[in-house]
Amino acid sequence: MLVLGLESSCDETAVALVNDAGDIRANIVLSQLAEHRPYGGVVPEIAARSHLDHLDGLIVKALREAAVGFDDLQGVAATLGPGLIGGVLVAAMTGKAIAAARGLPFVAVNHLEGHALTARLTDRLDFPYLLLLVSGGHCQLLAVEGVGRYRRYGGTIDDAVGEAFDKTAKLLGLGYPGGPAVERAAETGDPARFPLPRPLKGRPGCDFSFSGLKTAVRQQVERLVELSPQDRADLAASFQASVAEVMIDRSRNALVRFRQDTGRPGPLVVAGGVAANRALRHALTDLTESEGTELVAPPPKLCTDNAAMIAWAGLERLRLGQRDALDAPARPRWPLEELQRPDNPLEMTA
Ligand code: KG4
Ligand code: ZN
C-alpha cells in the first residue's frame, strides 16, 4: 500500500510517499525560512501563497523520485489541521482533488497525530507509549494508546517550548528560527551563570509554563544593556538548561502516571521540532535510564515538520479501514482528544 502525504500547515511545504512496510519512498520538505526571516516569524499570508506556488511541483518531483505514478497510489493523506488555515487549505484541497480525480481514499490527518505516530514508522513501536510532543506550536505529554486514542497528561499553560526558544533567540539577537540558533550559542556558554527560574518544577502534574522564563531572559538582557558574544552564549546555555530541567521534571511525573495507567515503565517518545535539541535528548536519555525504560527519538528530519509522518498516519488509518469524506473540514484548531469524539468525521468503512 503506497500513500501520498501532503503537509502545508505551517512554514514547510512537504510531500512524501510511504508504503505500509514503512519504506519512505520520497520525503521532500521545502522550507520557507528565507521568506519569513525578514519578519522574525511566520507570516500566514506569505506562507499560504508560497505553499500554493510549490505544492504541485513537489508532488511531481516526489513521484519522479520514487519512480511511480498516480496509478501506483492506494490513498492520499493530507494535514487538515491544526495550523495556519490559509496554508492548511492548500494541502487539503490538493489532496482532495487528487483523491477525487483518481478515485482514491482520502484521509484527513491531524498534524499532531502525524508527530504522535512517527515512532511507529521509524522504530516499529507497539502501543502504548508516552509521548512528549515539543514544537513551535505545541508542548504536551500524552499517553498514546492506539490510533486515535490519546490521553492528555498535561500541556503548556502559556507558550509552547519552541516558541520560548524562538522568543529567547530574538531577545538575544540570534535570528530566526530560534531553536537551532540557541542550541548553537549554548555550546560555548556557561549554563550556571544566570540563575533563571524553573517554572512548575517540583509541582505535581505534567503541565508546562514558559512565559516567566522568557520574561526572566528579557530582564537579564535589559540588565546587561549591551550583550557580548559570551553573554549571549551564557544566557542561551542558562535558558536551555532551565528548559531541560523542567522537561525532565514534568516527564518524570508523566512516566509515573503512565506506569499507573498501563503497568509499563515506558517507553518515552520525544517528537516535534524541539526534539532535535541535543541537550534535551541527553537529559531525557538520562531520565529514561534512571526510570528503567528507554527514550525513542526519531531522526531529526522526521521530528520536524514533514509529510512522511502525514502519509504514515494516513496509512495507519487506512489499515484500520478508515477514510474521510471529501467535505472533511480544514481546522485551525484540532486537539488530539477530539479524534475520539463521536462526531469525529472519520467514517468506518470496513
Ligand atoms: O515541529 P516543528 O518543525 O513545527 C511546528 O511547530 O509544528 O517545530 C519547530 C520548532 C521551532 O520553534 C524551532 O525553533 C524548534 O522547533 N526547534 C528547536 C531546535 N530545532 C527546531 N528548538 C530547540 N533546539 C533545536 N535544535
Ligand atoms: Zn509540527
Side-chain angles (χ1 to χ4, degrees), residues 55-291:
L55 187 62
D56 52 354
L58 295 184
I59 294 172
V60 172
K61 193 171 166 209
L63 291 169
R64 202 174 293 145
E65 267 181 26
V68 297
F70 285 117
D71 290 342
D72 298 302
L73 299 177
Q74 275 77 48
V76 181
T79 300
L80 259 71
L84 301 171
I85 196 68
V88 172
L89 281 167
V90 176
M93 297 311 294
T94 306
K96 288 175 179 182
I98 294 170
R102 295 281 159 167
L104 292 167
F106 175 73
V107 185
V109 174
N110 179 304
H111 178 90
L112 301 173
E113 181 165 68
H115 283 302
L117 299 177
T118 299
R120 287 170 53 77
L121 166 65
T122 57
D123 294 78
R124 309 285 134 99
L125 270 200
D126 287 327
F127 297 117
Y129 49 87
L130 180 67
L131 175 73
L132 172 62
L133 179 56
V134 279
S135 73
H138 306 280
C139 182
Q140 46 188 287
L141 275 157
L142 43 128
V144 180
E145 297 171 343
V147 176
R149 293 177 50 208
Y150 309 96
R151 196 190 303 261
R152 193 170 188 273
Y153 284 179
T156 181
I157 55 179
D158 40 58
D159 295 345
V161 60
E163 209 178 337
F165 268 97
D166 293 335
K167 288 176 177 173
T168 294
K170 211 168 185 174
L171 287 167
L172 298 181
L174 292 174
Y176 170 84
V182 169
E183 179 170 13
R184 217 172 307 120
E187 277 164 19
T188 51
D190 171 10
R193 177 167 161 208
F194 298 100
L196 298 175
R198 268 64 175 153
L200 299 181
K201 188 182 168 193
R203 304 265 196 93
C206 306
D207 283 337
F208 298 89
S209 167
F210 293 104
S211 71
L213 179 56
K214 179 192 64 197
T215 304
V217 171
R218 184 180 330 109
Q219 286 165 345
Q220 289 294 352
V221 170
E222 283 164 2
R223 214 164 288 149
L224 291 162
V225 188
E226 202 148 325
L227 293 180
S228 70
Q230 195 57 51
D231 292 336
R232 282 199 183 87
D234 292 344
L235 258 174
S238 300
F239 166 82
Q240 191 171 265
S242 168
V243 169
E245 241 179 75
V246 166
M247 287 284 160
I248 294 316
D249 180 74
R250 311 282 82 198
S251 302
R252 186 182 293 112
N253 287 359
L255 281 169
V256 169
R257 182 165 163 196
F258 185 79
R259 196 190 291 258
Q260 284 163 357
D261 285 349
T262 66
R264 297 172 194 225
L268 172 64
V269 176
V270 60
V274 182
N277 187 280
R278 276 160 300 164
L280 181 61
R281 281 187 186 225
H282 284 148
L284 289 169
T285 303
D286 290 347
L287 170 72
T288 47
E289 272 171 14
S290 74
E291 296 292 319

